[in-house]
């Protein structure tokens, strides 16, 4: 989930293993003891870091939505001077990094979002809307003739494409990260170009 180069904290290790286990076996199919064992601590030891599994799920799903939005804002600020095309490429690259590196979180979001408390689910949805709208704004700068509803539909469609990575096969069965990332990037740009050509 994190793109940091320093060693992950114990809390980050717990979240990574919880995401993997929840994605593999479902939220209710995983016990606290199993998560603890995956990071080398007792199940009850997890309660020093999280009040329970619900808190882990909330932090995972709210956290990745916040991380995507924060990263997109950073990319917009850093690449904005290079023009809208560069920003769009940068946004696509950032989302591809997420889609390839955080595949369990995509599965987790698809399956378990409804298990969040209302407040947490609303927060996820709010962050996601902001993320989409940032993309819509950039896309409409690249293709000014595209109406806002069409741009929004295109963004959601590209997210569907990029977020399909958990269904592409087991890790290691893809043609290699760089090749897969390049293919996804070309497909995303092709989809946006098709909308811009209408």
């Amino acid at each position: 989930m994190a793109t940091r180069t320093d060693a992950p904290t114990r809390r980050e290790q717990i979240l990574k293993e919880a995401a993997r286990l929840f994605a593999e076996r479902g939220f209710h199919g995983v016990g606290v003891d199993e998560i603890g064992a995956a990071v080398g601590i007792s199940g009850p030891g997890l309660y020093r870091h999280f009040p329970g599994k619900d808190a882990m799920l909330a932090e995972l799903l709210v956290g990745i939505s916040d991380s995507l939005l924060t990263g997109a804002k950073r990319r917009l600020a850093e690449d904005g001077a290079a023009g809208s095309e560069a920003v769009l490429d940068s946004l696509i690259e950032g989302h591809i990094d997420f889609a390839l590196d955080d595949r369990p979180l995509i599965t987790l979001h698809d399956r378990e979002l409804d298990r969040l408390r209302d407040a947490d689910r609303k927060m996820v949805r709010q962050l996601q809307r902001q993320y989409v709208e940032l993309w819509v704004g950039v896309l409409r700068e690249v293709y000014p003739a595209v109406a806002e509803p069409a741009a929004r539909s295109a963004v959601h469609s590209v997210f569907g494409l990029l977020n399909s990575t958990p269904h592409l096969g087991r890790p290691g069965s893809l043609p290699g990260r760089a090749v897969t990332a390049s293919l996804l990037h070309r497909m995303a740009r092709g989809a946006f170009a098709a909308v811009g050509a209408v």
Side-chain angles (χ1 to χ4, degrees), residues 99 103-104 106-108 110-111 159-171 173-174:
R103 292 165 72 184
I106 296 171
T107 301
L108 195 60
D110 289 347
R111 291 184 190 161
F159 287 169
L161 164 71
L162 299 180
N163 291 347
S164 70
T165 56
H167 309 291
L168 296 178
R170 297 181 319 276
S173 66
L174 299 177

Side-chain angles (χ1 to χ4, degrees), residues 68 72 88 90-96 130-141 151 155 158-159 162 188 192:
L68 284 168
L88 184 58
S90 184
L91 289 174
I92 293 169
E93 288 164 11
H95 200 95
I96 288 171
Q130 292 176 48
Y131 184 59
V132 168
E133 293 310 310
L134 188 149
W135 277 67
V136 167
V138 172
L139 184 61
R140 293 190 73 212
E141 288 177 12
V155 167
V158 166
F159 287 169
L162 299 180
F192 287 144

